[in-house]
Amino acid sequence: MNIHQILPNFAYGDAIGVDTLALKKILRSLGYNSNIYADIIHPKLQNEAIKRRYHKDQSDSKNLLIYHFSVGSEITEYVMSVPDRLIIIFHNITPANWFFGNSPHMTEVTAEGMDELIQLKDRCMVAWADSEYNASILREAGYDKVHVLPIIVEFSRLKIKADTVFKQQWSSPFFTWTFVGRLSPNKRHQDIIRAFAWYKQYLNPRSRLLLIGENRNCWRYTYSMTQLVKSYSIEDVVFSGSINDSELAAAYNLTDVFICMSEHEGFCVPL
């Protein structure tokens, strides 16, 4: 029996991508033939995954196929058609209303995701959720075989050597606020920026804010956040974009306060 994993987008540094890769390591350590299949594979992960179109050759009713589910995608139609025994890992679907006016693409795929989640109910043999909150959504959708399988947190990622260049670049005596999370409306960067602007103006002018995370199909939101910073006329707000693990370790070394104002989380990995 082989145990393979499948997902639409195998992203670098993303919570789902990290969980998928960690699970592959565990499955292989247990002696299973286990691959990751995805439609989109980040360049840094090319050696860790295979394009989804090649899974068809591995498909068999004796195999298990684990589907990491978080948005609507063509993967759903595909897993409905193959003979493999199916398990879904539900990572939550950010409600579509968060993306209205910010990302037509994300509005579409999140809305479709809820419909597809219901379609999968009778196809999968069991459903795993990476938090009790996510499990409650599955039960509300009519799933009866639901288990909580927490996100695999590899603490070794936090013990790697901090990137010296990153640390030197951002090293300063300033008191540092940090948030780690993609630029997405549900993360409420605007609340962090407003709180920081007040803090910097009235309490500690020698402070700065590091906003770490990539923009994923939310360009309007990202632009509005940069404009918000300008409207407050505050300096020392850094949008770093996506960074690697050693750079993240350096950022945490420099951090005095981690702040999270997110209003919707399936499972907040940074915390």
Side-chain angles (χ1 to χ4, degrees):
M1 179 181 71
N2 302 324
I3 306 178
H4 299 306
Q5 300 179 80
I6 194 166
L7 69 167
N9 183 6
F10 189 33
Y12 179 79
D14 171 79
I16 297 174
V18 170
D19 190 53
T20 303
L21 186 57
L23 186 54
K24 185 183 85 167
K25 292 177 182 177
I26 291 172
L27 291 170
R28 287 189 172 184
S29 73
L30 295 172
Y32 291 102
N33 178 30
S34 183
N35 296 322
I36 296 170
Y37 295 89
D39 285 336
I40 301 171
I41 303 170
H42 191 281
K44 291 184 178 180
L45 298 171
Q46 291 293 327
N47 294 330
E48 299 290 352
I50 303 169
K51 284 289 187 178
R52 188 248 297 189
R53 62 179 178 271
Y54 295 111
H55 174 264
K56 197 77 173 179
D57 298 332
Q58 301 294 321
S59 185
D60 191 289
S61 59
K62 296 179 182 179
N63 293 342
L64 285 176
L65 183 60
I66 300 173
Y67 180 15
H68 292 265
F69 192 85
S70 62
V71 293
S73 79
E74 295 177 357
I75 299 284
T76 298
E77 183 179 356
Y78 176 76
V79 301
M80 296 288 282
S81 69
V82 294
D84 306 62
R85 291 175 291 165
L86 183 68
I87 295 172
I88 71 163
I89 298 183
F90 182 54
H91 298 281
N92 198 279
I93 302 170
T94 303
N97 63 280
W98 280 109
F99 301 104
F100 293 166
N102 284 295
S103 173
H105 172 72
M106 290 304 297
T107 301
E108 180 181 0
V109 298
T110 51
E112 290 175 350
M114 290 307 300
D115 293 335
E116 292 178 14
L117 185 66
I118 294 172
Q119 293 174 28
L120 288 163
K121 173 172 62 71
D122 298 323
R123 169 67 177 90
C124 66
M125 55 186 289
V126 68
W128 296 336
D130 47 28
S131 69
E132 183 55 42
Y133 172 60
N134 291 347
S136 70
I137 295 174
L138 288 173
R139 296 186 189 105
E140 289 174 8
Y143 285 75
D144 53 2
K145 295 180 180 179
V146 178
H147 302 279
V148 175
L149 181 71
I151 282 277
I152 301 168
V153 180
E154 293 190 287
F155 291 103
S156 59
R157 293 179 64 213
L158 299 178
K159 296 178 181 178
I160 65 173
K161 186 177 179 181
D163 185 277
T164 54
V165 174
F166 186 97
K167 201 167 183 177
Q168 289 172 1
Q169 180 181 2
W170 297 110
S171 181
S172 83
F174 279 29
F175 190 85
T176 302
W177 290 28
T178 298
F179 173 61
V180 179
R182 71 184 186 279
L183 281 153
S184 176
N186 59 297
K187 303 291 187 180
R188 300 293 297 182
H189 290 75
Q190 59 266 47
D191 291 341
I192 297 175
I193 292 168
R194 288 171 182 142
F196 176 75
W198 189 92
Y199 175 81
K200 187 174 181 67
Q201 181 176 354
Y202 295 108
L203 294 180
N204 185 1
R206 295 180 62 77
S207 58
R208 65 177 173 180
L209 171 61
L210 299 181
L211 296 172
I212 298 170
E214 67 175 341
N215 166 21
R216 193 179 301 165
N217 298 304
C218 285
W219 295 104
R220 293 176 187 172
Y221 178 72
T222 302
Y223 177 75
S224 67
M225 292 304 99
T226 58
Q227 292 303 111
L228 181 63
V229 171
K230 289 182 180 179
S231 72
Y232 280 113
S233 300
I234 51 174
E235 298 179 347
D236 306 309
V237 176
V238 178
F239 293 88
S240 76
S242 178
I243 62 177
N244 62 38
D245 286 348
S246 61
E247 291 169 333
L248 181 61
Y252 281 138
N253 285 171
L254 298 169
T255 296
D256 296 291
V257 170
F258 184 93
I259 180 168
C260 178
M261 299 292 281
S262 179
E263 290 192 8
H264 183 272
E265 292 286 337
F267 190 98
C268 193
V269 168
L271 287 177

